[in-house]
Amino acid sequence: MSSESSQKAWELENAVKLVDPHRDALYGYDVDEQKAISNDHPWKTDPHHFKNVRISAVALLKMVMHARSGGSLEIMGLMQGKIAGDTFVVTDAFRLPVEGTETRVNASAEADEYMTQYLQSCRDSGRMENAVGWYHSHPGYGCWLSGIDVSTQMLQQQFQDPFIAVVIDPDRTISAGKVEIGAFRTFPSDYKPRDSGTGEEYQTIPLNKIEDFGAHASQYYSLEVSHFKSSLDSYLLEMLWNKYWVSTLSQSPLFTNRDYSSKQMLDLSQKIKNAEESLRAQARGGPRGNAKDSQLDKIVKDSNKIAGEEVTGLLAGDVKAKLFNGVGTRAAKASGR
């Protein structure tokens, strides 16, 4: 498989759509229009005003590469773009020099100074896009906002709105072959949503994260994420893709993600054990209901997901072996003829 065909496959898998190649409208930035939108601030009266996020393929690839470079540590960066109706349009992204751990990222004064200087240098070069959000990674535990993330996003929306939070899971991205990404907005502290904003789609949450996930799930909602590219960024996308493709080609999902896979299976075994104990308690006369069935349904989904990722990794390894094993030998034989 060539770099070009693999890039097309990646774009298809992540539904990257080409905008008008002649106008590149999504990259046009009107300062007066953005000021008028900011002065009107319809999101102040409607907590659900923003519903969509459109991310350029270049920005998406930059964020994924940054997230993968962090390994098991969280990383953080900022996104640039504009507002179009109820949609955030993200045209670019840049990483921040922050200290990350396996559970959080800590922005420092150095990061704030770097952000200010970077945005100013962009304006000096004629790029007027504002910072419209921040992104960070959740290595191996899904795309959602923790308690710390919720506090950070609330603070940003209070002083820098309109602003959005994006989360990428690099481990699940490697395993699934598709970018695992989520975009979120928090509700005002005095707003009570009718239901949780994160229940649109089931996702696997490790046992040690479930409490944090459930405690804050009603404080934010998710936005629909889509991706685009244009003729303006085709060369840059090609250059970035060549680096990303070589990195992906030289790695095996099974070996690269072996720690993540092991944790997934250990977590699944603990969930099965907990479900078994619950069923025994129910058999001894405990409370009955649909909760146990729901718990077993989630275990089945989790086990199917893990099995699917392992099969995908085995198939990827088999394809690479057939393509590249003995390449040097075959080349030597061909040159000796």
Side-chain angles (χ1 to χ4, degrees):
M1 180 183 289
S2 67
S3 173
E4 182 180 357
S5 59
S6 63
Q7 179 183 337
K8 289 181 179 178
W10 181 83
E11 291 176 358
L12 182 64
E13 185 70 29
N14 290 284
V16 177
K17 297 181 180 179
L18 178 68
V19 295
D20 190 327
H22 301 293
R23 294 185 301 163
D24 294 307
L26 288 177
Y27 281 90
Y29 189 87
D30 188 321
V31 176
D32 293 333
E33 178 188 39
Q34 293 302 304
K35 284 184 178 179
I37 293 173
S38 181
N39 292 334
D40 192 30
H41 48 71
W43 52 86
K44 293 289 186 182
T45 55
D46 181 9
H48 285 274
H49 172 73
F50 290 108
K51 298 176 178 61
N52 304 285
V53 185
R54 300 193 69 180
I55 303 175
S56 73
V58 166
L60 179 67
L61 203 51
K62 280 185 176 182
M63 291 189 285
V64 171
M65 292 172 70
H66 186 198
R68 286 181 62 171
S69 70
S72 61
L73 303 181
E74 290 193 11
I75 55 84
M76 178 181 174
L78 282 186
M79 299 175 293
Q80 293 172 273
K82 64 178 184 178
I83 304 302
D86 62 358
T87 302
F88 284 88
V89 179
V90 177
T91 54
D92 202 0
F94 62 94
R95 60 181 66 191
L96 289 177
V98 300
E99 295 181 358
T101 68
E102 292 187 355
T103 57
R104 69 179 66 181
V105 281
N106 303 309
S108 61
E110 180 186 356
D112 292 336
E113 183 179 356
Y114 177 87
M115 175 183 66
T116 303
Q117 292 178 352
Y118 185 93
L119 291 173
Q120 186 58 50
S121 66
C122 287
R123 295 188 180 98
D124 293 342
S125 63
R127 292 184 54 197
M128 306 305 292
E129 294 94 339
N130 289 320
V132 294
W134 66 296
Y135 71 89
H136 71 290
S137 63
H138 277 184
Y141 51 96
C143 298
W144 47 279
L145 297 185
S146 66
I148 295 174
D149 298 338
V150 168
S151 298
T152 301
Q153 179 61 18
M154 281 184 169
L155 191 65
Q156 296 294 346
Q157 287 184 207
Q158 184 178 354
F159 295 104
Q160 215 170 327
D161 224 14
F163 218 70
I164 194 170
V166 164
V167 182
I168 292 176
D169 187 333
D171 290 347
R172 296 187 181 184
T173 294
I174 294 173
S175 293
K178 177 183 178 182
V179 179
E180 186 83 8
I181 187 171
F184 310 97
R185 291 266 300 173
T186 53
F187 295 119
S189 56
D190 58 348
Y191 178 78
K192 300 298 180 185
R194 294 179 181 177
D195 53 16
S196 171
T198 60
E200 293 93 340
E201 185 176 340
Y202 172 76
Q203 60 174 315
T204 303
I205 307 295
L207 277 174
N208 62 343
K209 300 289 183 182
I210 285 179
E211 185 176 351
D212 193 20
F213 171 78
H216 307 282
S218 63
Q219 294 179 271
Y220 61 91
Y221 71 100
S222 60
L223 288 77
E224 186 73 25
V225 180
S226 60
H227 312 294
F228 69 92
K229 67 174 183 176
S230 80
S231 58
L232 287 177
D233 57 17
S234 57
Y235 178 72
L236 181 57
L237 180 60
E238 181 181 349
M239 297 296 288
L240 281 170
W241 178 258
N242 287 336
K243 183 177 179 181
Y244 179 81
W245 185 68
V246 169
S247 173
T248 302
L249 192 64
S250 63
Q251 295 175 340
S252 164
L254 295 180
F255 289 108
T256 304
N257 263 15
R258 57 185 178 272
D259 290 339
Y260 163 70
S261 300
S262 298
K263 289 178 181 177
Q264 287 279 89
M265 287 184 232
L266 285 172
D267 188 72
L268 179 62
S269 67
Q270 186 60 51
K271 288 178 179 177
I272 293 173
K273 183 179 178 181
N274 292 347
E276 184 180 4
E277 291 175 353
S278 298
L279 289 172
R280 285 177 179 172
Q282 179 177 312
R284 289 194 297 267
R288 298 176 179 271
N290 295 326
K292 305 297 184 300
D293 293 336
S294 175
Q295 190 177 9
L296 291 174
D297 287 342
K298 291 179 180 179
I299 289 173
V300 171
K301 289 180 180 178
D302 290 351
S303 61
N304 288 338
K305 176 178 175 294
I306 293 172
E309 290 174 352
E310 293 298 305
V311 169
T312 300
L314 287 169
L315 288 174
D318 191 42
V319 169
K320 289 177 184 179
K322 291 184 181 299
L323 285 174
F324 300 111
N325 283 2
V327 169
T329 305
R330 291 196 297 269
K333 288 181 178 178
S335 62
R337 290 177 181 175

